[in-house]
Amino acid sequence: MKRVEATVYGRVQGVSFRYYTQQKATHLNLTGWVANQSDGSVCVVAEGTEANLKQLLDFLHRGSPSAIVEKVSYTWHTPTNTFHKFSVRWQ
């Protein structure tokens, strides 16, 4: 098990990015959350197997159908195992 924390930059708000991310993460049996940030980026925190997290990172580089992803920065961490599902956070 691993944890990845990612920030996605570009046109990623108002294009169903969080919804598609939640759907993909749930399909991959990942736990964590996705949230819009005040600077226009989207933050993703996910835990699961490294293989499934890499698939999520691949998705984040493409984004939802209407998104324009310019950059994804991410870091690997030790999982906290505090999440029970993957959710959308409203900030």
Side-chain angles (χ1 to χ4, degrees), residues 17-30:
F17 194 92
R18 290 175 299 167
Y19 169 80
Y20 280 95
T21 301
Q22 180 187 35
Q23 294 301 305
K24 183 67 172 179
T26 299
H27 174 74
L28 292 170
N29 295 313
L30 301 175

Side-chain angles (χ1 to χ4, degrees), residues 8-15 17 40 60-72:
V8 185
Y9 301 92
R11 193 180 81 175
V12 292
Q13 290 189 14
V15 291
F17 194 92
L60 295 178
H61 281 88
R62 291 188 315 274
S64 62
S66 299
I68 299 173
V69 176
E70 295 174 0
K71 179 176 86 169
V72 179

Side-chain angles (χ1 to χ4, degrees), residues 2 4 11 22 34 37 42-43 56 64 66 78 80 85:
K2 289 201 171 203
V4 69
R11 193 180 81 175
Q22 180 187 35
V34 58
Q37 301 299 294
V42 171
C43 182
L56 180 65
S64 62
S66 299
T78 302
T80 61
K85 64 179 183 171

Side-chain angles (χ1 to χ4, degrees), residues 39-66:
D39 66 357
S41 66
V42 171
C43 182
V44 179
V45 175
E47 295 185 356
T49 66
E50 184 174 356
N52 286 359
L53 290 169
K54 285 181 176 180
Q55 288 184 55
L56 180 65
L57 286 171
D58 287 343
F59 165 80
L60 295 178
H61 281 88
R62 291 188 315 274
S64 62
S66 299

